[in-house]
Amino acid sequence: DIQMTQSPSSMSASLGDTVTINCLASQDIGNYLSWYQQKPGKSPKLMIYGATNLEDGVPSRFSGSRSGSDYSLTINSLGYDDEGIYHCHQYYEYPPTFGAGTKLELK
Amino acid sequence: QVKLLQSGAALVKPGASVKMSCKASGYTFTDYWVSWVKQSHGKSLEWIGEIYPNSGATNFNEKFKGKATLTVDKSTSTAYMELSRLTSEDSAIYYCTRIYYSGPFDYWGQGVMVTVSS
């Protein structure tokens, strides 16, 4: 199975900050990567697909990028509504696999 | 609008089975694969398997073969997952999701909390 190594596992940032969450794939997955936001007690919500494409309705403060097998989710102008757990997900190969998640809290 | 409405929480005894449902609305049910995802300990996600409602074709994570059974009822646009021989390791939240054509999970149900306890 493809391993997705996600970092950091948790982070704390301030209002207005820019934060970056990373996922490293254990093998080539092309652009078959998505990012989800999960708020407490809720289901995950698709934010980014195809490594860099913003899902409809997602604020442009969110962006995805790729450098080789390293994938990043960047959130600009952090707000309280951005708190939650962020998951990366590869769908290049069966079985689809997820990173371990990053818990983002605001100070 | 697309919605996936899942059945309610379940408390089941070790060794028993549980069957949960996922009723789709707002789109053509038979056009998209439905996946099931397990969330343990409130954080990590694990793919269980998927089913194509039009044909009933399935794919599974090797880890869940023999544990999960996926079915659909096209007449009610409902997908089902049955988990058998439950142990404490099966206590988790289970989500159904719609798979967008190339693979991301674009819509999720609200989740079913399964607790395995005697």
Side-chain angles (χ1 to χ4, degrees):
Chain A
D1 298 0
I2 296 175
Q3 304 302 313
M4 302 300 295
T5 303
Q6 188 170 345
S7 62
S9 59
S10 64
M11 62 191 307
S12 181
S14 299
L15 205 61
D17 279 356
T18 293
V19 299
T20 297
I21 299 168
N22 299 290
C23 262
L24 174 65
S26 62
Q27 63 188 75
D28 178 45
I29 60 169
N31 286 328
Y32 293 90
L33 181 113
S34 56
W35 290 96
Y36 303 86
Q37 175 195 65
Q38 185 176 25
K39 296 186 180 180
K42 299 294 186 182
S43 311
K45 173 188 173 185
L46 177 64
M47 306 297 279
I48 301 277
Y49 64 95
T52 61
N53 299 296
L54 206 62
E55 174 70 345
D56 287 347
V58 174
S60 57
R61 303 184 292 103
F62 291 83
S63 62
S65 62
R66 171 192 176 189
S67 175
S69 293
D70 268 304
Y71 299 81
S72 298
L73 172 70
T74 299
I75 311 171
N76 295 312
S77 304
L78 205 60
Y80 287 110
D81 193 46
D82 300 330
E83 285 189 312
I85 299 175
Y86 290 83
H87 308 272
C88 64
H89 160 224
Q90 70 79 19
Y91 47 93
Y92 176 77
E93 182 180 282
Y94 283 103
T97 49
F98 295 85
T102 296
K103 186 173 185 179
L104 172 62
E105 293 179 327
L106 265 72
K107 294 176 184 174
Chain B
Q1 67 281 29
V2 174
K3 287 188 178 178
L4 298 173
L5 183 62
Q6 296 187 244
S7 46
L11 172 62
V12 291
K13 295 189 186 308
S17 298
V18 66
K19 188 173 185 177
M20 61 192 76
S21 64
C22 171
K23 182 171 176 58
S25 61
Y27 72 99
T28 303
F29 180 59
T30 50
D31 283 353
Y32 296 82
W33 287 77
V34 173
S35 257
W36 292 84
V37 175
K38 177 182 182 181
Q39 186 166 35
S40 306
H41 314 299
K43 201 173 179 189
S44 61
L45 299 170
E46 200 169 14
W47 181 74
I48 296 170
E50 63 187 7
I51 186 165
Y52 188 52
N54 197 30
S55 63
T58 56
N59 295 300
F60 284 95
N61 187 329
E62 282 294 327
K63 180 179 175 181
F64 291 94
K65 283 183 178 178
K67 167 65 69 176
T69 302
L70 303 182
T71 55
V72 295
D73 181 345
K74 289 191 283 186
S75 69
T76 60
S77 299
T78 303
Y80 297 91
M81 179 172 71
E82 183 170 20
L83 301 173
S84 61
R85 298 183 302 279
L86 292 166
T87 72
S88 59
E89 293 298 306
D90 298 313
S91 293
I93 297 175
Y94 293 88
Y95 295 99
C96 62
T97 80
R98 190 182 83 162
I99 305 176
Y100 191 63
Y101 295 109
S102 58
F105 300 161
D106 61 350
Y107 289 94
W108 296 63
Q110 83 277 19
V112 174
M113 181 176 289
V114 173
T115 303
V116 182
S117 174
S118 54

